[in-house]
Amino acid sequence: MNHFYDEAAWEKEWKDYGDSVANRLARAGVDLSRSFDSKAKSFNEQSFNEEGRRRTARIMNWLEVQGVEFEGASVLDIGAASGVFSLPFAERGAYITAVESSPPLVELLSANLAGFGPDRVNIVAEPFENVDVEARGWNGKFDLVFVSMCPVIRDWESVEKVLGCASRFCYISLPVGSAEHSLASEIWPLIVGQPFKPEPTAMGYLLHLLYLKGYSYQSIVTRETKTAEMSREAALQEAMNLLSGRGLSADEGTRRTIQDYLERAYPSGTVPVSQGGRFGKVLIRLQDLSMYG
């Protein structure tokens, strides 16, 4: 409790012990800039199906209720993926700079935004971590900086880099706890010998440091889920990735155990997989700091 109001202590705690998904994957040797390559097509399909469009619309509506206006606005979409938000931003009249590092996602992003000319959409195909903000002239350049579920947010230093690009608003969303995953719940007892338990994540550090540092912001925590069907081969790879992401053994023996289980449990060859959890969304207001509305 002695450090509850100590900004430096919270920054250090987040940097040293904030066990984010990004940090876990990096420790497991996963190249975060390419971690979505194999899932790009399915991610794009889920983003733009009926359920995905409803999820996007809920967030867009929430932003607009808070006073974000898109017509004529400049938006920096960090971790834009295949354009799940860049596209509706552009459709509402915004000028988009979309940062994405996965080549398959960049290809899909380009296709999804093909209806807008280069004066409306600029795609930056590299990790945001590698971007020199000052050299590109991005300091305070964008009306809205948007970071949705992107592993670029690892510590307060990364938040400051993101905030530095915004002039009016900055939106960041993060898991509130580690993701709920039906496949993990099934395989964890087989491999680990105990139930799968979601763990706290970095959202608590982010909100508390925004509070300590005097920012004006609105936040909301919701529970979101989605369900997709995978082939047994894809489910097997997903399970191996889940284990690697937790720093657990993903050797050939583990692979065989999971493969045998999937063959027994899903003889049809199709595995329904539900993913979700609690997610936090925060809109940081850098101008017009009084209550909106």
Side-chain angles (χ1 to χ4, degrees):
M1 198 65 180
N2 292 337
H3 298 302
F4 190 77
Y5 297 105
D6 186 334
E7 296 175 24
W10 278 81
E11 288 184 43
K12 186 176 188 305
E13 178 78 12
W14 189 359
K15 193 174 189 68
D16 292 347
Y17 303 109
D19 199 20
S20 69
V21 173
N23 291 339
R24 287 200 300 269
L25 291 174
R27 287 198 300 270
V30 177
D31 181 357
L32 294 173
S33 67
R34 305 297 299 273
S35 61
F36 259 77
D37 284 9
S38 63
K39 298 187 284 188
K41 184 178 179 181
S42 62
F43 179 85
N44 181 63
E45 291 170 353
Q46 292 173 27
S47 296
F48 290 102
N49 65 18
E50 185 178 352
E51 182 183 359
R53 289 179 184 276
R54 284 199 301 266
R55 286 195 304 271
T56 299
R58 287 196 295 270
I59 293 172
M60 297 289 291
N61 292 341
W62 184 73
L63 289 172
E64 290 176 328
V65 166
Q66 307 308 324
V68 178
E69 298 176 351
F70 294 102
E71 180 65 40
S74 57
V75 178
L76 175 63
D77 187 0
I78 299 172
S82 60
V84 58
F85 287 101
S86 287
L87 179 58
F89 290 159
E91 289 174 339
R92 283 165 170 77
Y95 294 81
I96 312 301
T97 298
V99 180
E100 178 51 55
S101 60
S102 165
L105 284 174
V106 169
E107 184 176 346
L108 290 164
L109 176 65
S110 299
N112 289 337
L113 295 175
F116 301 93
D119 61 321
R120 291 285 307 284
V121 174
N122 173 35
I123 296 175
V124 179
E126 63 179 286
F128 181 73
E129 294 90 335
N130 296 348
V131 171
D132 186 329
V133 170
E134 185 171 353
R136 287 181 181 266
W138 284 6
N139 285 320
K141 177 178 179 179
F142 299 94
D143 295 310
L144 170 66
V145 175
F146 186 88
V147 190
S148 178
M149 304 301 297
C150 177
V152 71
I153 302 296
R154 298 191 187 190
D155 51 26
W156 181 254
E157 183 178 352
S158 63
V159 175
E160 286 187 320
K161 182 177 180 180
V162 166
L163 284 170
C165 298
S167 62
R168 298 192 64 200
F169 298 100
C170 180
Y171 171 93
I172 298 174
S173 68
L174 292 170
V176 172
S178 57
E180 300 167 15
H181 200 298
S182 62
L183 193 56
S185 297
E186 292 180 55
I187 66 169
W188 237 246
L190 301 174
I191 306 302
V192 183
Q194 59 186 16
F196 177 75
K197 294 181 179 179
E199 299 173 346
T201 51
M203 193 68 186
Y205 292 111
L206 173 63
L207 291 177
H208 194 61
L209 280 165
L210 289 172
Y211 158 65
L212 290 179
K213 291 176 179 291
Y215 283 94
S216 296
Y217 60 92
Q218 289 103 340
S219 64
I220 185 172
V221 175
T222 62
R223 189 176 188 280
E224 310 284 344
T225 59
K226 61 181 179 180
T227 301
E229 292 189 342
M230 292 184 175
S231 66
R232 278 202 305 252
E233 294 74 18
L236 173 60
Q237 189 56 53
E238 179 79 1
M240 298 296 284
N241 291 341
L242 288 168
L243 290 167
S244 296
R246 288 290 189 98
L248 299 173
S249 172
D251 56 20
E252 190 56 38
T254 300
R255 175 180 287 272
R256 171 55 60 181
T257 298
I258 298 172
Q259 186 174 20
D260 289 347
Y261 167 77
L262 292 173
E263 289 174 356
R264 292 194 310 272
Y266 301 100
S268 69
T270 300
V271 183
V273 177
S274 296
Q275 300 179 58
R278 296 171 69 225
F279 299 95
K281 305 157 184 66
V282 57
L283 180 67
I284 304 152
R285 191 181 294 275
L286 302 171
Q287 292 182 13
D288 304 322
L289 306 184
S290 60
M291 187 173 180
Y292 182 77

mmCIF file of all heavy atoms in Angstrom, residues 200-244:
data_model
loop_
_atom_site.group_PDB
_atom_site.id
_atom_site.type_symbol
_atom_site.label_atom_id
_atom_site.label_comp_id
_atom_site.label_asym_id
_atom_site.label_seq_id
_atom_site.Cartn_x
_atom_site.Cartn_y
_atom_site.Cartn_z
ATOM 1 N N PRO A 200 -4.554 -12.441 -14.375
ATOM 2 C CA PRO A 200 -4.666 -10.984 -14.554
ATOM 3 C C PRO A 200 -3.724 -10.490 -15.648
ATOM 4 O O PRO A 200 -2.684 -11.087 -15.901
ATOM 5 C CB PRO A 200 -4.251 -10.430 -13.185
ATOM 6 C CG PRO A 200 -4.408 -11.575 -12.243
ATOM 7 C CD PRO A 200 -4.129 -12.815 -13.024
ATOM 8 N N THR A 201 -4.107 -9.405 -16.290
ATOM 9 C CA THR A 201 -3.274 -8.833 -17.340
ATOM 10 C C THR A 201 -3.058 -7.340 -17.098
ATOM 11 O O THR A 201 -3.395 -6.815 -16.042
ATOM 12 C CB THR A 201 -3.917 -9.062 -18.717
ATOM 13 O OG1 THR A 201 -5.276 -8.616 -18.664
ATOM 14 C CG2 THR A 201 -3.896 -10.535 -19.096
ATOM 15 N N ALA A 202 -2.516 -6.661 -18.132
ATOM 16 C CA ALA A 202 -1.961 -5.323 -17.936
ATOM 17 C C ALA A 202 -2.982 -4.208 -17.804
ATOM 18 O O ALA A 202 -2.596 -3.069 -17.506
ATOM 19 C CB ALA A 202 -1.015 -5.002 -19.096
ATOM 20 N N MET A 203 -4.264 -4.473 -18.017
ATOM 21 C CA MET A 203 -5.247 -3.387 -17.985
ATOM 22 C C MET A 203 -5.221 -2.641 -16.650
ATOM 23 O O MET A 203 -5.391 -1.423 -16.611
ATOM 24 C CB MET A 203 -6.648 -3.932 -18.244
ATOM 25 C CG MET A 203 -7.675 -2.850 -18.532
ATOM 26 S SD MET A 203 -7.371 -2.041 -20.116
ATOM 27 C CE MET A 203 -8.576 -0.736 -20.100
ATOM 28 N N GLY A 204 -5.004 -3.364 -15.569
ATOM 29 C CA GLY A 204 -4.954 -2.727 -14.253
ATOM 30 C C GLY A 204 -3.821 -1.729 -14.136
ATOM 31 O O GLY A 204 -3.989 -0.641 -13.565
ATOM 32 N N TYR A 205 -2.645 -2.076 -14.672
ATOM 33 C CA TYR A 205 -1.514 -1.138 -14.674
ATOM 34 C C TYR A 205 -1.862 0.107 -15.480
ATOM 35 O O TYR A 205 -1.601 1.235 -15.052
ATOM 36 C CB TYR A 205 -0.269 -1.796 -15.281
ATOM 37 C CG TYR A 205 0.329 -2.911 -14.466
ATOM 38 C CD1 TYR A 205 0.261 -4.224 -14.914
ATOM 39 C CD2 TYR A 205 0.979 -2.652 -13.263
ATOM 40 C CE1 TYR A 205 0.826 -5.258 -14.180
ATOM 41 C CE2 TYR A 205 1.544 -3.677 -12.528
ATOM 42 C CZ TYR A 205 1.465 -4.974 -12.987
ATOM 43 O OH TYR A 205 2.019 -6.000 -12.258
ATOM 44 N N LEU A 206 -2.434 -0.106 -16.674
ATOM 45 C CA LEU A 206 -2.744 1.024 -17.548
ATOM 46 C C LEU A 206 -3.695 2.004 -16.879
ATOM 47 O O LEU A 206 -3.431 3.216 -16.816
ATOM 48 C CB LEU A 206 -3.351 0.508 -18.855
ATOM 49 C CG LEU A 206 -3.889 1.583 -19.808
ATOM 50 C CD1 LEU A 206 -2.773 2.504 -20.277
ATOM 51 C CD2 LEU A 206 -4.606 0.944 -20.995
ATOM 52 N N LEU A 207 -4.803 1.508 -16.359
ATOM 53 C CA LEU A 207 -5.802 2.402 -15.771
ATOM 54 C C LEU A 207 -5.265 3.126 -14.546
ATOM 55 O O LEU A 207 -5.525 4.318 -14.344
ATOM 56 C CB LEU A 207 -7.062 1.610 -15.411
ATOM 57 C CG LEU A 207 -7.888 1.093 -16.588
ATOM 58 C CD1 LEU A 207 -9.066 0.278 -16.089
ATOM 59 C CD2 LEU A 207 -8.361 2.230 -17.480
ATOM 60 N N HIS A 208 -4.510 2.404 -13.719
ATOM 61 C CA HIS A 208 -4.010 3.051 -12.505
ATOM 62 C C HIS A 208 -2.971 4.123 -12.837
ATOM 63 O O HIS A 208 -2.966 5.200 -12.214
ATOM 64 C CB HIS A 208 -3.410 2.011 -11.557
ATOM 65 C CG HIS A 208 -3.183 2.534 -10.180
ATOM 66 N ND1 HIS A 208 -4.203 3.005 -9.385
ATOM 67 C CD2 HIS A 208 -2.042 2.694 -9.443
ATOM 68 C CE1 HIS A 208 -3.713 3.411 -8.226
ATOM 69 N NE2 HIS A 208 -2.402 3.240 -8.243
ATOM 70 N N LEU A 209 -2.122 3.877 -13.828
ATOM 71 C CA LEU A 209 -1.130 4.886 -14.190
ATOM 72 C C LEU A 209 -1.777 6.084 -14.877
ATOM 73 O O LEU A 209 -1.350 7.227 -14.664
ATOM 74 C CB LEU A 209 -0.042 4.259 -15.073
ATOM 75 C CG LEU A 209 1.007 3.470 -14.287
ATOM 76 C CD1 LEU A 209 1.828 2.585 -15.213
ATOM 77 C CD2 LEU A 209 1.924 4.419 -13.509
ATOM 78 N N LEU A 210 -2.801 5.865 -15.675
ATOM 79 C CA LEU A 210 -3.535 7.007 -16.243
ATOM 80 C C LEU A 210 -4.120 7.867 -15.131
ATOM 81 O O LEU A 210 -4.100 9.102 -15.186
ATOM 82 C CB LEU A 210 -4.642 6.513 -17.170
ATOM 83 C CG LEU A 210 -4.215 5.907 -18.503
ATOM 84 C CD1 LEU A 210 -5.413 5.287 -19.216
ATOM 85 C CD2 LEU A 210 -3.545 6.947 -19.400
ATOM 86 N N TYR A 211 -4.643 7.206 -14.107
ATOM 87 C CA TYR A 211 -5.196 7.913 -12.936
ATOM 88 C C TYR A 211 -4.113 8.691 -12.206
ATOM 89 O O TYR A 211 -4.264 9.890 -11.916
ATOM 90 C CB TYR A 211 -5.870 6.887 -12.022
ATOM 91 C CG TYR A 211 -6.020 7.315 -10.588
ATOM 92 C CD1 TYR A 211 -6.836 8.389 -10.232
ATOM 93 C CD2 TYR A 211 -5.335 6.645 -9.575
ATOM 94 C CE1 TYR A 211 -6.973 8.774 -8.909
ATOM 95 C CE2 TYR A 211 -5.466 7.022 -8.259
ATOM 96 C CZ TYR A 211 -6.275 8.087 -7.923
ATOM 97 O OH TYR A 211 -6.406 8.474 -6.613
ATOM 98 N N LEU A 212 -2.982 8.035 -11.921
ATOM 99 C CA LEU A 212 -1.919 8.693 -11.169
ATOM 100 C C LEU A 212 -1.313 9.861 -11.941
ATOM 101 O O LEU A 212 -0.913 10.862 -11.341
ATOM 102 C CB LEU A 212 -0.815 7.686 -10.829
ATOM 103 C CG LEU A 212 -1.151 6.601 -9.799
ATOM 104 C CD1 LEU A 212 0.039 5.672 -9.607
ATOM 105 C CD2 LEU A 212 -1.542 7.231 -8.449
ATOM 106 N N LYS A 213 -1.255 9.743 -13.262
ATOM 107 C CA LYS A 213 -0.587 10.759 -14.064
ATOM 108 C C LYS A 213 -1.532 11.881 -14.499
ATOM 109 O O LYS A 213 -1.132 12.783 -15.226
ATOM 110 C CB LYS A 213 0.078 10.101 -15.288
ATOM 111 C CG LYS A 213 1.260 9.214 -14.893
ATOM 112 C CD LYS A 213 1.834 8.489 -16.088
ATOM 113 C CE LYS A 213 3.027 7.645 -15.676
ATOM 114 N NZ LYS A 213 4.196 8.456 -15.272
ATOM 115 N N GLY A 214 -2.776 11.830 -14.040
ATOM 116 C CA GLY A 214 -3.675 12.963 -14.225
ATOM 117 C C GLY A 214 -4.389 13.029 -15.555
ATOM 118 O O GLY A 214 -4.880 14.104 -15.929
ATOM 119 N N TYR A 215 -4.484 11.926 -16.266
ATOM 120 C CA TYR A 215 -5.191 11.937 -17.539
ATOM 121 C C TYR A 215 -6.710 11.945 -17.336
ATOM 122 O O TYR A 215 -7.217 11.435 -16.339
ATOM 123 C CB TYR A 215 -4.798 10.720 -18.383
ATOM 124 C CG TYR A 215 -3.446 10.847 -19.036
ATOM 125 C CD1 TYR A 215 -2.304 10.334 -18.426
ATOM 126 C CD2 TYR A 215 -3.306 11.497 -20.262
ATOM 127 C CE1 TYR A 215 -1.052 10.446 -19.014
ATOM 128 C CE2 TYR A 215 -2.054 11.622 -20.865
ATOM 129 C CZ TYR A 215 -0.939 11.098 -20.236
ATOM 130 O OH TYR A 215 0.294 11.233 -20.828
ATOM 131 N N SER A 216 -7.414 12.514 -18.304
ATOM 132 C CA SER A 216 -8.872 12.424 -18.345
ATOM 133 C C SER A 216 -9.234 11.274 -19.279
ATOM 134 O O SER A 216 -8.734 11.204 -20.396
ATOM 135 C CB SER A 216 -9.481 13.729 -18.861
ATOM 136 O OG SER A 216 -9.216 14.796 -17.966
ATOM 137 N N TYR A 217 -10.105 10.404 -18.814
ATOM 138 C CA TYR A 217 -10.433 9.243 -19.640
ATOM 139 C C TYR A 217 -11.763 8.638 -19.226
ATOM 140 O O TYR A 217 -12.241 8.842 -18.115
ATOM 141 C CB TYR A 217 -9.331 8.176 -19.546
ATOM 142 C CG TYR A 217 -9.081 7.636 -18.156
ATOM 143 C CD1 TYR A 217 -9.752 6.497 -17.694
ATOM 144 C CD2 TYR A 217 -8.168 8.253 -17.308
ATOM 145 C CE1 TYR A 217 -9.520 5.997 -16.426
ATOM 146 C CE2 TYR A 217 -7.930 7.759 -16.038
ATOM 147 C CZ TYR A 217 -8.606 6.634 -15.602
ATOM 148 O OH TYR A 217 -8.373 6.147 -14.334
ATOM 149 N N GLN A 218 -12.350 7.916 -20.157
ATOM 150 C CA GLN A 218 -13.520 7.066 -19.892
ATOM 151 C C GLN A 218 -13.093 5.627 -20.116
ATOM 152 O O GLN A 218 -12.299 5.336 -21.019
ATOM 153 C CB GLN A 218 -14.681 7.397 -20.828
ATOM 154 C CG GLN A 218 -15.344 8.728 -20.543
ATOM 155 C CD GLN A 218 -14.934 9.788 -21.528
ATOM 156 O OE1 GLN A 218 -13.920 9.673 -22.195
ATOM 157 N NE2 GLN A 218 -15.722 10.849 -21.633
ATOM 158 N N SER A 219 -13.637 4.720 -19.319
ATOM 159 C CA SER A 219 -13.299 3.309 -19.501
ATOM 160 C C SER A 219 -14.531 2.451 -19.305
ATOM 161 O O SER A 219 -15.494 2.848 -18.633
ATOM 162 C CB SER A 219 -12.194 2.883 -18.526
ATOM 163 O OG SER A 219 -12.636 2.971 -17.185
ATOM 164 N N ILE A 220 -14.477 1.278 -19.913
ATOM 165 C CA ILE A 220 -15.576 0.327 -19.794
ATOM 166 C C ILE A 220 -14.977 -1.078 -19.883
ATOM 167 O O ILE A 220 -13.996 -1.301 -20.595
ATOM 168 C CB ILE A 220 -16.625 0.550 -20.915
ATOM 169 C CG1 ILE A 220 -17.829 -0.362 -20.734
ATOM 170 C CG2 ILE A 220 -16.026 0.370 -22.285
ATOM 171 C CD1 ILE A 220 -18.964 -0.056 -21.698
ATOM 172 N N VAL A 221 -15.546 -2.002 -19.121
ATOM 173 C CA VAL A 221 -15.137 -3.402 -19.166
ATOM 174 C C VAL A 221 -16.336 -4.224 -19.614
ATOM 175 O O VAL A 221 -17.431 -4.102 -19.056
ATOM 176 C CB VAL A 221 -14.630 -3.887 -17.794
ATOM 177 C CG1 VAL A 221 -14.334 -5.392 -17.836
ATOM 178 C CG2 VAL A 221 -13.377 -3.122 -17.377
ATOM 179 N N THR A 222 -16.141 -5.046 -20.632
ATOM 180 C CA THR A 222 -17.219 -5.877 -21.154
ATOM 181 C C THR A 222 -16.732 -7.317 -21.277
ATOM 182 O O THR A 222 -15.537 -7.602 -21.181
ATOM 183 C CB THR A 222 -17.684 -5.389 -22.531
ATOM 184 O OG1 THR A 222 -16.593 -5.485 -23.453
ATOM 185 C CG2 THR A 222 -18.161 -3.953 -22.471
ATOM 186 N N ARG A 223 -17.683 -8.208 -21.495
ATOM 187 C CA ARG A 223 -17.340 -9.606 -21.754
ATOM 188 C C ARG A 223 -17.755 -9.917 -23.185
ATOM 189 O O ARG A 223 -18.896 -9.693 -23.566
ATOM 190 C CB ARG A 223 -18.044 -10.553 -20.785
ATOM 191 C CG ARG A 223 -17.536 -11.986 -20.882
ATOM 192 C CD ARG A 223 -18.175 -12.901 -19.847
ATOM 193 N NE ARG A 223 -17.534 -14.201 -19.854
ATOM 194 C CZ ARG A 223 -17.793 -15.162 -20.745
ATOM 195 N NH1 ARG A 223 -18.690 -14.942 -21.691
ATOM 196 N NH2 ARG A 223 -17.159 -16.321 -20.691
ATOM 197 N N GLU A 224 -16.809 -10.414 -23.961
ATOM 198 C CA GLU A 224 -17.065 -10.715 -25.370
ATOM 199 C C GLU A 224 -16.670 -12.160 -25.661
ATOM 200 O O GLU A 224 -15.680 -12.662 -25.112
ATOM 201 C CB GLU A 224 -16.232 -9.793 -26.279
ATOM 202 C CG GLU A 224 -16.326 -8.315 -25.959
ATOM 203 C CD GLU A 224 -17.627 -7.707 -26.428
ATOM 204 O OE1 GLU A 224 -18.316 -8.334 -27.262
ATOM 205 O OE2 GLU A 224 -17.967 -6.604 -25.959
ATOM 206 N N THR A 225 -17.419 -12.838 -26.515
ATOM 207 C CA THR A 225 -17.083 -14.203 -26.931
ATOM 208 C C THR A 225 -17.334 -14.364 -28.422
ATOM 209 O O THR A 225 -18.144 -13.648 -29.017
ATOM 210 C CB THR A 225 -17.922 -15.260 -26.176
ATOM 211 O OG1 THR A 225 -19.311 -15.017 -26.433
ATOM 212 C CG2 THR A 225 -17.654 -15.213 -24.688
ATOM 213 N N LYS A 226 -16.631 -15.293 -29.007
ATOM 214 C CA LYS A 226 -16.867 -15.664 -30.400
ATOM 215 C C LYS A 226 -16.588 -17.155 -30.546
ATOM 216 O O LYS A 226 -15.771 -17.727 -29.812
ATOM 217 C CB LYS A 226 -15.981 -14.861 -31.351
ATOM 218 C CG LYS A 226 -14.483 -15.054 -31.154
ATOM 219 C CD LYS A 226 -13.704 -14.197 -32.131
ATOM 220 C CE LYS A 226 -12.196 -14.377 -31.929
ATOM 221 N NZ LYS A 226 -11.412 -13.545 -32.868
ATOM 222 N N THR A 227 -17.259 -17.782 -31.477
ATOM 223 C CA THR A 227 -17.121 -19.214 -31.708
ATOM 224 C C THR A 227 -16.809 -19.454 -33.173
ATOM 225 O O THR A 227 -17.401 -18.828 -34.064
ATOM 226 C CB THR A 227 -18.409 -19.955 -31.318
ATOM 227 O OG1 THR A 227 -18.698 -19.708 -29.942
ATOM 228 C CG2 THR A 227 -18.243 -21.462 -31.518
ATOM 229 N N ALA A 228 -15.857 -20.349 -33.407
ATOM 230 C CA ALA A 228 -15.487 -20.709 -34.777
ATOM 231 C C ALA A 228 -15.237 -22.206 -34.836
ATOM 232 O O ALA A 228 -14.947 -22.839 -33.816
ATOM 233 C CB ALA A 228 -14.251 -19.946 -35.220
ATOM 234 N N GLU A 229 -15.346 -22.761 -36.024
ATOM 235 C CA GLU A 229 -15.050 -24.172 -36.227
ATOM 236 C C GLU A 229 -13.682 -24.309 -36.889
ATOM 237 O O GLU A 229 -13.382 -23.611 -37.858
ATOM 238 C CB GLU A 229 -16.126 -24.829 -37.089
ATOM 239 C CG GLU A 229 -17.475 -24.929 -36.379
ATOM 240 C CD GLU A 229 -18.476 -25.760 -37.149
ATOM 241 O OE1 GLU A 229 -18.251 -25.974 -38.364
ATOM 242 O OE2 GLU A 229 -19.458 -26.203 -36.538
ATOM 243 N N MET A 230 -12.869 -25.216 -36.334
ATOM 244 C CA MET A 230 -11.534 -25.462 -36.855
ATOM 245 C C MET A 230 -11.420 -26.915 -37.300
ATOM 246 O O MET A 230 -12.109 -27.792 -36.774
ATOM 247 C CB MET A 230 -10.467 -25.216 -35.778
ATOM 248 C CG MET A 230 -10.284 -23.808 -35.326
ATOM 249 S SD MET A 230 -8.895 -23.708 -34.151
ATOM 250 C CE MET A 230 -8.805 -21.943 -33.904
ATOM 251 N N SER A 231 -10.530 -27.164 -38.240
ATOM 252 C CA SER A 231 -10.158 -28.542 -38.526
ATOM 253 C C SER A 231 -9.353 -29.084 -37.342
ATOM 254 O O SER A 231 -8.834 -28.312 -36.522
ATOM 255 C CB SER A 231 -9.312 -28.613 -39.800
ATOM 256 O OG SER A 231 -8.062 -27.967 -39.583
ATOM 257 N N ARG A 232 -9.255 -30.407 -37.222
ATOM 258 C CA ARG A 232 -8.447 -30.967 -36.132
ATOM 259 C C ARG A 232 -6.999 -30.514 -36.240
ATOM 260 O O ARG A 232 -6.348 -30.257 -35.219
ATOM 261 C CB ARG A 232 -8.529 -32.497 -36.151
ATOM 262 C CG ARG A 232 -9.766 -33.072 -35.492
ATOM 263 C CD ARG A 232 -9.565 -34.509 -35.066
ATOM 264 N NE ARG A 232 -9.141 -35.375 -36.156
ATOM 265 C CZ ARG A 232 -9.912 -36.298 -36.730
ATOM 266 N NH1 ARG A 232 -11.154 -36.467 -36.322
ATOM 267 N NH2 ARG A 232 -9.431 -37.044 -37.699
ATOM 268 N N GLU A 233 -6.482 -30.403 -37.469
ATOM 269 C CA GLU A 233 -5.089 -29.975 -37.648
ATOM 270 C C GLU A 233 -4.894 -28.543 -37.143
ATOM 271 O O GLU A 233 -3.908 -28.242 -36.458
ATOM 272 C CB GLU A 233 -4.693 -30.077 -39.123
ATOM 273 C CG GLU A 233 -4.645 -31.485 -39.683
ATOM 274 C CD GLU A 233 -6.020 -32.101 -39.913
ATOM 275 O OE1 GLU A 233 -7.027 -31.331 -39.962
ATOM 276 O OE2 GLU A 233 -6.109 -33.330 -40.022
ATOM 277 N N ALA A 234 -5.846 -27.664 -37.483
ATOM 278 C CA ALA A 234 -5.736 -26.281 -37.020
ATOM 279 C C ALA A 234 -5.894 -26.198 -35.509
ATOM 280 O O ALA A 234 -5.202 -25.408 -34.845
ATOM 281 C CB ALA A 234 -6.800 -25.419 -37.711
ATOM 282 N N ALA A 235 -6.804 -27.018 -34.943
ATOM 283 C CA ALA A 235 -6.997 -27.016 -33.490
ATOM 284 C C ALA A 235 -5.749 -27.525 -32.777
ATOM 285 O O ALA A 235 -5.387 -27.018 -31.709
ATOM 286 C CB ALA A 235 -8.205 -27.873 -33.126
ATOM 287 N N LEU A 236 -5.102 -28.515 -33.373
ATOM 288 C CA LEU A 236 -3.860 -29.023 -32.787
ATOM 289 C C LEU A 236 -2.800 -27.929 -32.737
ATOM 290 O O LEU A 236 -2.144 -27.722 -31.710
ATOM 291 C CB LEU A 236 -3.353 -30.210 -33.602
ATOM 292 C CG LEU A 236 -1.972 -30.762 -33.238
ATOM 293 C CD1 LEU A 236 -1.936 -31.235 -31.791
ATOM 294 C CD2 LEU A 236 -1.577 -31.898 -34.187
ATOM 295 N N GLN A 237 -2.638 -27.193 -33.837
ATOM 296 C CA GLN A 237 -1.649 -26.120 -33.858
ATOM 297 C C GLN A 237 -2.017 -25.009 -32.889
ATOM 298 O O GLN A 237 -1.152 -24.442 -32.211
ATOM 299 C CB GLN A 237 -1.507 -25.554 -35.271
ATOM 300 C CG GLN A 237 -0.355 -24.578 -35.432
ATOM 301 C CD GLN A 237 0.974 -25.184 -35.019
ATOM 302 O OE1 GLN A 237 1.362 -26.251 -35.493
ATOM 303 N NE2 GLN A 237 1.689 -24.510 -34.121
ATOM 304 N N GLU A 238 -3.311 -24.707 -32.792
ATOM 305 C CA GLU A 238 -3.773 -23.692 -31.847
ATOM 306 C C GLU A 238 -3.434 -24.108 -30.415
ATOM 307 O O GLU A 238 -2.976 -23.288 -29.607
ATOM 308 C CB GLU A 238 -5.284 -23.504 -32.003
ATOM 309 C CG GLU A 238 -5.900 -22.496 -31.055
ATOM 310 C CD GLU A 238 -5.703 -21.063 -31.479
ATOM 311 O OE1 GLU A 238 -5.090 -20.827 -32.539
ATOM 312 O OE2 GLU A 238 -6.169 -20.165 -30.747
ATOM 313 N N ALA A 239 -3.653 -25.391 -30.098
ATOM 314 C CA ALA A 239 -3.350 -25.889 -28.755
ATOM 315 C C ALA A 239 -1.851 -25.797 -28.455
ATOM 316 O O ALA A 239 -1.454 -25.399 -27.349
ATOM 317 C CB ALA A 239 -3.824 -27.334 -28.618
ATOM 318 N N MET A 240 -1.024 -26.128 -29.424
ATOM 319 C CA MET A 240 0.422 -26.040 -29.228
ATOM 320 C C MET A 240 0.851 -24.587 -29.012
ATOM 321 O O MET A 240 1.713 -24.297 -28.177
ATOM 322 C CB MET A 240 1.150 -26.637 -30.436
ATOM 323 C CG MET A 240 0.868 -28.116 -30.670
ATOM 324 S SD MET A 240 1.443 -29.177 -29.315
ATOM 325 C CE MET A 240 3.210 -29.183 -29.642
ATOM 326 N N ASN A 241 0.224 -23.669 -29.743
ATOM 327 C CA ASN A 241 0.538 -22.249 -29.568
ATOM 328 C C ASN A 241 0.129 -21.761 -28.182
ATOM 329 O O ASN A 241 0.835 -20.957 -27.553
ATOM 330 C CB ASN A 241 -0.163 -21.412 -30.627
ATOM 331 C CG ASN A 241 0.394 -21.641 -32.019
ATOM 332 O OD1 ASN A 241 1.510 -22.149 -32.175
ATOM 333 N ND2 ASN A 241 -0.374 -21.289 -33.038
ATOM 334 N N LEU A 242 -1.019 -22.247 -27.701
ATOM 335 C CA LEU A 242 -1.477 -21.864 -26.364
ATOM 336 C C LEU A 242 -0.484 -22.300 -25.304
ATOM 337 O O LEU A 242 -0.163 -21.547 -24.382
ATOM 338 C CB LEU A 242 -2.846 -22.486 -26.079
ATOM 339 C CG LEU A 242 -4.040 -21.888 -26.830
ATOM 340 C CD1 LEU A 242 -5.263 -22.784 -26.672
ATOM 341 C CD2 LEU A 242 -4.343 -20.492 -26.326
ATOM 342 N N LEU A 243 0.023 -23.512 -25.432
ATOM 343 C CA LEU A 243 0.999 -24.008 -24.463
ATOM 344 C C LEU A 243 2.301 -23.214 -24.542
ATOM 345 O O LEU A 243 2.865 -22.812 -23.520
ATOM 346 C CB LEU A 243 1.268 -25.497 -24.708
ATOM 347 C CG LEU A 243 0.110 -26.438 -24.363
ATOM 348 C CD1 LEU A 243 0.378 -27.827 -24.931
ATOM 349 C CD2 LEU A 243 -0.095 -26.519 -22.862
ATOM 350 N N SER A 244 2.776 -22.978 -25.761
ATOM 351 C CA SER A 244 4.014 -22.204 -25.927
ATOM 352 C C SER A 244 3.874 -20.807 -25.360
ATOM 353 O O SER A 244 4.800 -20.278 -24.734
ATOM 354 C CB SER A 244 4.391 -22.124 -27.414
ATOM 355 O OG SER A 244 4.680 -23.386 -27.935
#
